């Protein structure tokens, strides 16, 4: 029998598990992947599972394997902030689900642990572009302006590292990054030591960010703007974090970043207007392979012949 930790490979998923395992050490098999790889629960061996922790992946997208685990009387702890659909009623399921646009999984775990490792929750909130929530928690910890700036940079860089079509696009595999960060009870210690992990994460992000000057504008209106990036590894890595940056700079508009795929079509990242952070998930769920949360969502493969429909739906969603 085995324990499993199943988590999104972005800043929120990694930092949520960091908090839990710093507070509650457990020998567990890690199941994760790129940020867009959210149907992770099917990788858990139902016959061997003893206890399963699931963080920052949509319950709605993992309902069938979840129900299979519960039918086998496997204890499951599920914490997430994405659309969940109908939540199974089971004595073997403990869940914390909150889809409010101003929270994330790490903030929910921080509440669950009574703030035991709150600095990692700050990192996650910044990385997930929950800037107001991040600032509020940082202020409650009495962090200085410099400390907040450093934690924000770390969160963005960890989040950036999770983007890609597959793990070969990433600089560091999410499971490896989690294991390296687990050595630090507080991310400020990681930064103070100017550790190689920190330096590499920041440098990788900055190197890719300068290349967004190559972006092509596909659509622009008073409602929102859509950009296209080329079929390159750097583009797949930067797409989501750049989408956050665009949303922060123009908070009254919605944004979408298309990244060309080798097989044709696009990988899509959508950001709702920061001033009214809802609608991204509703938009993306209208397309195959789409999903996400109210403020930020995506489509793993949008065929080229769906481009016009996407633009029309984009305008109708955020008007």
């Amino acid at each position: 029998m085995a324990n499993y930790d199943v988590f999104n490979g972005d800043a929120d998923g990694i930092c949520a598990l960091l908090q839990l395992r710093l507070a509650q050490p457990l020998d567990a098999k890690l199941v994760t992947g790129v940020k867009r790889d959210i149907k992770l629960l099917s990788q858990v061996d139902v016959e061997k599972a003893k206890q399963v922790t699931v963080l920052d992946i949509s319950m709605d997208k993992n309902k069938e394997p979840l129900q299979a685990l519960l039918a086998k009387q496997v204890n499951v702890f599920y914490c997430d902030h994405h659309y969940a659909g109908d939540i199974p009623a089971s004595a073997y399921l403990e869940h914390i689900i909150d889809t409010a646009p101003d929270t994330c999984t790490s903030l929910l775990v921080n509440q669950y642990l009574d703030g035991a490792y709150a600095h990692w929750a700050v990192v996650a909130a910044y990385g997930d572009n929950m800037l107001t929530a991040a600032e509020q928690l940082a202020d409650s910890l009495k962090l200085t302006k410099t400390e907040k700036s450093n934690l924000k940079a770390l969160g963005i860089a960890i989040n950036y590292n999770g983007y890609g079509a597959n793990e070969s696009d990433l600089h560091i595999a999410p499971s490896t990054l989690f294991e390296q960060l687990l050595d630090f009870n507080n991310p400020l210690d990681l930064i103070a030591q100017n550790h190689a992990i920190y330096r590499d994460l920041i440098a990788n992000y900055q190197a890719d960010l300068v290349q967004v000057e190559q972006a092509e504008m596909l659509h622009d209106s008073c409602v929102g703007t859509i950009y296209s990036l080329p079929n390159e590894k750097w583009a797949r890595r930067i797409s989501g974090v750049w989408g956050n940056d665009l949303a922060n700079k123009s908070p009254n508009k919605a944004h979408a970043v298309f990244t060309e795929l080798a097989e044709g079509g696009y990988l899509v990242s959508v950001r709702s207007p920061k001033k009214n952070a809802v609608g991204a998930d509703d938009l993306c769920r209208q397309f195959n392979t789409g999903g996400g949360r109210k403020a930020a969502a995506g489509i793993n493969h949008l065929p080229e012949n769906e481009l016009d429909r996407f633009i029309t739906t984009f305008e109708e969603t955020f008007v």
Side-chain angles (χ1 to χ4, degrees):
M1 303 297 284
N3 301 311
Y4 289 85
D5 284 339
V6 184
F7 60 104
N8 197 310
D10 68 353
D12 193 21
I14 290 173
C15 291
L17 186 59
L18 283 172
Q19 293 175 81
L20 272 179
R21 292 298 160 249
L22 287 168
Q24 303 168 359
L26 182 71
D27 183 18
K29 293 185 177 182
L30 302 180
V31 178
T32 188
V34 298
K35 181 178 175 67
R36 294 299 185 93
D37 188 359
I38 58 172
K39 294 183 178 180
L40 295 171
L41 206 53
S42 60
Q43 297 182 34
V44 172
D45 189 329
V46 178
E47 300 301 327
K48 296 181 179 179
K50 176 183 178 183
Q51 176 179 322
V52 180
T53 296
V54 192
L55 301 169
D56 201 37
I57 58 173
S58 168
M59 184 182 289
D60 184 59
K61 298 292 186 180
N62 292 272
K63 195 66 61 68
E64 187 174 333
L66 173 60
Q67 291 173 329
L69 287 166
L70 298 176
K72 285 287 187 179
Q73 300 183 354
V74 176
N75 290 312
V76 178
F77 174 78
Y78 209 119
C79 185
D80 186 46
H81 66 133
H82 300 91
Y83 176 75
D86 294 331
I87 300 175
S90 172
Y92 299 97
L93 174 63
E94 179 184 1
H95 62 83
I96 303 172
I97 305 292
D98 187 343
T99 61
D102 58 350
T103 195
C104 62
T105 305
S106 283
L107 291 173
L108 297 175
V109 170
N110 177 60
Q111 295 170 5
Y112 175 73
L113 297 175
D114 294 324
Y117 295 93
H119 291 79
W120 280 116
V122 173
V123 171
Y126 276 129
D128 222 16
N129 208 33
M130 306 284 182
L131 302 185
T132 300
E135 290 286 329
Q136 290 173 345
L137 182 54
D139 288 341
S140 74
L141 297 171
K142 302 188 184 308
L143 299 183
T144 67
K145 183 177 180 180
T146 298
E147 288 172 334
K148 288 192 285 187
S149 177
N150 287 338
L151 292 182
K152 181 178 181 180
L154 177 60
I156 291 171
I158 294 174
N159 207 50
Y160 146 83
N161 183 76
Y163 279 94
N166 50 60
E167 286 200 8
S168 66
D169 281 347
L170 310 186
H171 291 292
I172 308 172
S175 57
T176 301
L177 181 56
F178 164 76
E179 290 173 331
Q180 292 175 341
L181 295 176
L182 192 59
D183 289 335
F184 298 90
N185 289 346
N186 189 321
L188 291 174
D189 295 335
L190 170 75
I191 294 168
Q193 295 175 22
N194 196 25
H195 197 283
I197 308 167
Y198 175 69
R199 296 198 309 271
D200 289 348
L201 286 169
I202 300 297
N204 292 337
Y205 164 65
Q206 292 175 341
D208 282 349
L209 185 60
V210 299
Q211 302 200 64
V212 299
E213 295 176 1
Q214 302 178 42
E216 173 189 357
M217 184 182 292
L218 292 181
H219 173 79
D220 186 46
S221 73
C222 61
V223 171
T225 307
I226 300 174
Y227 292 95
S228 177
L229 296 174
N231 175 29
E232 300 286 349
K233 284 187 175 183
W234 68 263
R236 293 190 290 274
R237 289 193 297 257
I238 204 65
S239 60
V241 176
W242 186 47
N244 290 341
D245 192 39
L246 291 169
N248 293 335
K249 289 178 178 177
S250 299
N252 292 311
K253 297 180 71 171
H255 294 84
V257 178
F258 285 38
T259 307
E260 296 175 357
L261 295 172
E263 64 270 27
Y266 305 92
L267 179 76
V268 183
S269 290
V270 177
R271 298 294 179 267
S272 301
K274 293 290 286 184
K275 295 287 188 177
N276 184 28
V278 295
D281 55 344
D282 293 333
L283 166 62
C284 291
R285 284 204 305 272
Q286 295 182 55
F287 298 84
N288 289 334
T289 74
R293 52 185 175 84
K294 298 178 188 299
I299 304 168
N300 287 344
H301 181 222
L302 180 74
E304 291 182 33
N305 61 11
E306 292 267 52
L307 177 58
D308 289 342
R309 183 167 81 90
F310 178 89
I311 293 174
T312 299
T313 310
F314 177 85
E315 287 285 320
E316 292 173 348
T317 299
F318 298 113
V319 68

